[in-house]
Amino acid sequence: MIIVLKKNHSEKIRENLLQVIQNMGGRPQLVPAGDTLSIVLGPEILVGPRIDFSTYECVSQVISTKAEYKKVARDSVDIKKSISIGSYEFGEGQFLVIAGPCAVESEEQFLQAALKIKKAGAHILRGGAYKPRTSPYQFQGLGEYGLSILAKARELTGLPVVTEVLDVRDVEKISDYADVLQIGTRNMQNFALLKEVGKTNIPVLLKRGMSATLQEWLLAAEYIAEAGNSKILLCERGIRSFDSETRNVLDLSAIPILKQKTDLPLVVDPSHGTGRKEAVAPMALAALAAGAHSVMIEVHEHPEHALCDGFQALSIDQLASLIEKLKKISEVMGLQMPSNESVLSKNILSFDKNNRMLTL
Ligand code: PEP
Ligand code: MN
């Protein structure tokens, strides 16, 4: 909301008005434009009782910015500034790396990759057990068997796992296995699914719809918060545009803009955002510099044999080198990138000379 003040208003009445707004929990900012002054309010003011600001003598016009979301708005009392996931605090001051194959393909593939991804320094594992594929003839994921592999990977590495939920009927089952529930781009406005994950107490990684505005995305998050779950991570994963050089256009400008609108932690997925492995690391570094709290990176031990999205997957070595660079930039940015070594694995695995896993 923007309150435009009259040109020759009384300072005393203006101070009164600012006080009223502050008492309502708002953070008014006085903004000069030419010879007029305006008061800019965050959408959080909508949480409080409605006041008709136009009745104040110093006010010439009230402009609504139409932020209909309330619970996920910046400074809302419903949102904590950080979200606990495993032993990490996801949010301001921290930078975390989520990494893993697009899909869980087999026990051996996923567990081997998980151990190496941990060694490379990533904090959270990703892997789809239920895959939203464009064609019904493509690999659809291993389903519940895939979930059990994810749970095993968590046990082996100690790293929390994030996996996608496609169907309302699977929410309860997936909640038994996952530390974070992912809502993919195709389901950002599947309101029944948003309400269902909103009934759980598990953090939700909500990807941006491929043609969603920031307002629509925040309103989708509001559905989850309104249903009772305020542990939401927003994940920018690129939007559709006209140029087919990249799979999507990764909208990094969304990060600083979202920070003005919400306190929810922000994740960037440069893998789906670009669809080109050579663009993934540069855009991950840019995401950190732009203010993201995390990046989600697709990784595969043998990208050329991946059952899904191999063309955009980094190798483990490429992930390790990216994480080294992210550490350096996070230092410059004054952010903490915790070590994942404090996370205990329950089992020790060894590998033979061909790098095959020997014991579970
Ligand atoms: C994924 O993360 O594997 C995925 C399918 O992403 P998106 O929903 O962004 O396409
Ligand atoms: Mn993928």
Side-chain angles (χ1 to χ4, degrees):
M1 183 184 291
I2 298 168
I3 302 173
V4 184
L5 299 173
K6 285 181 185 157
K7 278 194 180 126
N8 298 314
H9 63 266
S10 131
E11 250 179 66
K12 199 166 160 219
I13 298 179
R14 181 183 79 207
E15 286 311 308
N16 245 338
L17 175 56
L18 288 171
Q19 196 54 55
V20 169
I21 295 166
Q22 272 164 10
N23 292 346
M24 289 170 69
R27 292 193 309 182
Q29 284 178 30
L30 267 182
V31 180
D35 57 352
T36 57
L37 260 185
S38 295
I39 301 174
V40 177
L41 304 182
E44 70 273 15
I45 204 73
L46 294 175
V47 178
R50 298 290 173 97
I51 289 187
D52 185 359
F53 293 111
S54 63
T55 58
Y56 278 76
E57 207 184 297
C58 59
V59 173
S60 85
Q61 197 190 357
V62 176
I63 303 168
S64 163
T65 47
K66 287 211 194 95
E68 294 164 48
Y69 45 87
K70 301 175 176 64
K71 292 185 188 297
V72 302
R74 193 171 144 197
D75 285 343
S76 150
V77 288
D78 294 293
I79 299 291
K80 290 207 211 103
K81 303 241 172 190
S82 68
I83 296 172
S84 302
I85 297 175
S87 59
Y88 307 117
E89 282 303 314
F90 216 109
E92 216 44 60
Q94 296 275 324
F95 190 81
L96 298 171
V97 176
I98 307 169
C102 180
V104 181
E105 298 170 9
S106 71
E107 182 163 312
E108 187 181 297
Q109 167 255 5
F110 198 80
L111 298 185
Q112 294 230 29
L115 285 163
K116 291 177 184 173
I117 286 166
K118 181 180 182 188
K119 203 157 167 236
H123 305 96
I124 297 175
L125 289 173
R126 64 146 287 147
Y130 296 86
K131 293 304 304 173
R133 304 306 300 278
T134 304
S135 158
Y137 305 115
Q138 292 170 319
F139 176 60
Q140 304 285 309
L142 298 179
E144 193 162 5
Y145 175 53
L147 296 176
S148 71
I149 297 172
L150 282 166
K152 228 174 216 177
R154 174 179 46 201
E155 194 170 317
L156 288 171
T157 60
L159 302 184
V161 296
V162 46
T163 197
E164 179 161 355
V165 46
L166 292 181
D167 191 316
V168 214
R169 292 166 294 186
D170 293 331
V171 171
E172 212 180 312
K173 177 172 59 193
I174 298 179
S175 304
D176 287 340
Y177 293 94
D179 299 285
V180 180
L181 300 172
Q182 175 173 322
I183 301 285
T185 194
R186 295 158 187 83
N187 275 315
M188 189 206 82
Q189 283 188 319
N190 179 338
F191 300 116
L193 189 56
L194 298 178
K195 288 183 199 167
E196 202 62 25
V197 297
K199 287 190 211 153
T200 73
N201 192 28
I202 301 177
V204 177
L205 183 139
L206 178 64
K207 287 196 151 192
R208 180 179 184 175
M210 57 183 85
S211 58
T213 62
L214 299 189
Q215 173 89 351
E216 287 161 344
W217 189 10
L218 286 164
L219 283 167
E222 186 81 8
Y223 265 92
I224 302 171
E226 173 60 18
N229 186 354
S230 58
K231 298 178 195 163
I232 306 159
L233 315 166
L234 296 176
C235 178
E236 164 62 42
R237 50 78 69 203
I239 44 178
R240 284 250 166 117
S241 189
F242 51 86
D243 193 341
S244 57
E245 288 289 335
T246 51
R247 187 174 180 181
N248 290 293
V249 173
L250 187 64
D251 180 12
L252 288 183
S253 67
I255 302 300
I257 295 170
L258 281 171
K259 283 192 161 183
Q260 293 180 337
K261 297 176 185 290
T262 182
D263 291 320
L264 294 176
L266 306 174
V267 182
V268 169
D269 170 354
S271 305
H272 294 89
T274 65
R276 294 181 69 148
K277 61 183 75 168
E278 69 274 30
V280 170
M283 294 311 274
L285 298 170
L288 166 55
H293 303 105
S294 173
V295 284
M296 180 151 95
I297 310 288
E298 283 192 345
V299 184
H300 201 283
E301 276 200 279
H302 308 287
E304 65 287 5
H305 299 309
L307 295 183
C308 185
D309 287 354
F311 52 86
Q312 66 191 29
L314 296 191
S315 67
I316 309 277
D317 285 349
Q318 287 168 331
L319 174 72
S321 126
L322 168 62
I323 290 177
E324 282 316 304
K325 290 183 189 146
L326 287 168
K327 276 186 195 152
K328 288 188 189 141
I329 298 189
S330 59
E331 252 178 61
V332 175
M333 302 280 295
L335 298 174
Q336 263 244 321
M337 226 171 120
S339 151
N340 68 9
E341 275 159 23
S342 57
V343 179
L344 288 177
S345 354
K346 293 192 183 148
N347 291 297
I348 309 286
L349 283 190
S350 54
F351 293 87
D352 68 12
K353 60 180 184 346
N354 298 319
N355 225 9
R356 312 294 289 180
M357 195 161 49
L358 289 177
T359 51
L360 275 182

